[in-house]
Amino acid sequence: MVYTLDRKGRLRRFSPEGDSLLVHDFQTAIEASFVVDDSILYVGRIDGYVNAFSIARQQVVWEFETLGQISGSPNLIGDQLLVGSYDGCMYTFDKKTGRKKGQFQTGYYINGTAAVWKGYMMFGGCDAWVRVVDVATGTQTDSLELDSYVPASPAILDGVACACDYNGNVYEMTLEDGKISKHKKLLASSDDNEGQDGGVVSMPTLTRTDVYILSGDRYISCINRATGQVRWRKMLRGMTGECSPLVAHDKVLVCTKDGHVSIFDSKDGTELWHYEAGEQIIASPAIIGDRFYILTSRGTLLCFA
């Protein structure tokens, strides 16, 4: 089964054949993606509530009210749920009971999701700081100020994190025992004005050799992590949005805000396939088995082989 949650708060279940069933209506706007663990769906809402919803029982099993809207997806580490809010706090909950275990105050909006690595979480905020926090103790172990605010989530692979700021700078940070042991600006927004200006509002995508970003105009860029050089850059058929690129099987899947879907060769950026949905797309695609799925802003689910 495939589950979708649209911007109006309607949770639907789809069979592999595309038959749909309305499972639950949260009756409020939802901007964040959900996360599922052990048949419990966790999601944050625009009105500030965090909900845990049992798929088996089809009912909310616990909820918690923050003091600001939630725009980033929750994340899980062990038995704890991590949720950032526009009230400036990163919350930690017991995922089963909903009991608040911690609350780290930053003082400004948190728009993205906390990335996790070996007992630590890393997240950015609208105050331009990237923070590393020990999940068990709730204490900050390190931080790094970027050139501009961080609208999206960092990505971590093998202890190396990548984050982008709104100006279009791309940063790489190495994590060791909760510390940022070294960092560098992998790509500065001024390095190549063509296609780089306009900001980055989506999460970067990491592989062991490259990082892929969508810049705020209409470009996708592949950057070599070792050298910081742009391997290739391609103009998209539409404007980029909050959707992140998805890399699988040596291909890169990209959706634009105005409904264009493209697949590129990850090595040289050759466009291999294109589809025009005719509806706005701001959510990232998902791969399940040999199919990939895209949910449009109107709530249409597209399934491709």
Side-chain angles (χ1 to χ4, degrees):
M1 295 296 180
V2 178
Y3 287 84
T4 67
L5 187 56
D6 64 27
R7 298 177 75 179
K8 293 183 179 180
R10 297 171 299 193
L11 177 66
R12 292 185 178 274
R13 183 180 70 205
F14 290 83
S15 72
E17 292 75 32
D19 299 321
S20 68
L21 174 69
L22 179 64
V23 175
H24 185 75
D25 190 349
F26 287 94
Q27 297 184 333
T28 188
I30 293 179
E31 192 174 87
S33 300
F34 59 80
V35 62
V36 175
D37 179 69
D38 196 21
S39 296
I40 302 295
L41 181 149
Y42 302 93
V43 69
R45 304 173 1 187
I46 287 294
D47 61 6
Y49 280 87
V50 182
N51 283 152
F53 180 84
S54 170
I55 294 174
R57 290 152 53 188
Q58 296 193 10
Q59 65 182 35
V60 174
V61 293
W62 63 258
E63 70 177 17
F64 180 91
E65 183 181 11
T66 73
L67 300 179
Q69 76 177 50
I70 299 172
S71 292
S73 172
N75 202 358
L76 288 160
I77 178 169
D79 63 352
Q80 299 190 66
L81 183 77
L82 314 175
V83 184
S85 170
Y86 267 40
D87 64 9
C89 295
M90 179 62 70
Y91 292 89
T92 307
F93 302 98
D94 182 293
K95 69 179 184 181
K96 292 184 178 179
T97 66
R99 181 176 65 87
K100 187 179 75 171
K101 303 185 71 171
Q103 177 179 333
F104 184 85
Q105 178 74 47
T106 68
Y108 216 52
Y109 303 145
I110 300 175
N111 193 63
T113 299
V116 295
W117 176 255
K118 291 189 174 180
Y120 297 91
M121 57 177 160
M122 170 183 273
F123 57 92
C126 292
D127 57 356
W129 286 87
V130 170
R131 291 178 167 85
V132 183
V133 174
D134 187 314
V135 175
T137 64
T139 57
Q140 179 173 293
T141 56
D142 211 344
S143 61
L144 179 68
E145 186 177 16
L146 308 188
D147 290 357
S148 181
Y149 70 89
V150 186
S153 314
I156 301 178
L157 179 64
D158 297 334
V160 178
C162 184
C164 304
D165 67 21
Y166 185 71
N167 287 347
N169 299 296
V170 183
Y171 306 81
E172 187 175 90
M173 296 158 279
T174 301
L175 300 176
E176 293 182 7
D177 297 324
K179 299 291 184 180
I180 301 174
S181 60
K182 57 183 178 180
H183 64 87
K184 62 181 178 181
K185 187 177 289 185
L186 196 62
L187 183 70
S189 60
S190 58
D191 284 354
D192 186 345
N193 289 326
E194 181 187 0
Q196 186 62 21
D197 287 345
V200 178
V201 296
S202 65
M203 190 174 77
T205 300
L206 280 174
T207 69
R208 285 178 170 79
T209 56
D210 303 302
V211 57
Y212 298 84
I213 64 165
L214 301 180
S215 53
D217 35 36
R218 55 189 305 161
Y219 282 80
I220 177 172
S221 299
C222 173
I223 306 161
N224 182 284
R225 290 176 54 187
T227 65
Q229 298 298 310
V230 177
R231 287 187 189 270
W232 53 263
R233 170 178 288 130
K234 297 293 181 178
M235 178 181 285
L236 301 172
R237 295 174 184 260
M239 299 298 291
T240 62
E242 298 175 26
C243 173
S244 297
L246 183 62
V247 181
H249 304 295
D250 298 321
K251 299 179 178 64
V252 187
L253 176 61
V254 177
C255 302
T256 68
K257 188 163 54 177
D258 41 9
H260 293 275
V261 184
S262 298
I263 293 178
F264 296 93
D265 187 299
S266 63
K267 296 181 177 62
D268 58 17
T270 301
E271 187 179 50
L272 305 173
W273 176 83
H274 169 258
Y275 177 83
E276 188 169 354
E279 298 178 16
Q280 188 184 60
I281 301 171
I282 59 171
S284 299
I287 291 178
I288 305 172
D290 59 355
R291 301 180 178 187
F292 65 90
Y293 297 82
I294 296 167
L295 184 68
T296 73
S297 295
R298 288 185 60 186
T300 304
L301 180 66
L302 306 173
C303 173
F304 298 89

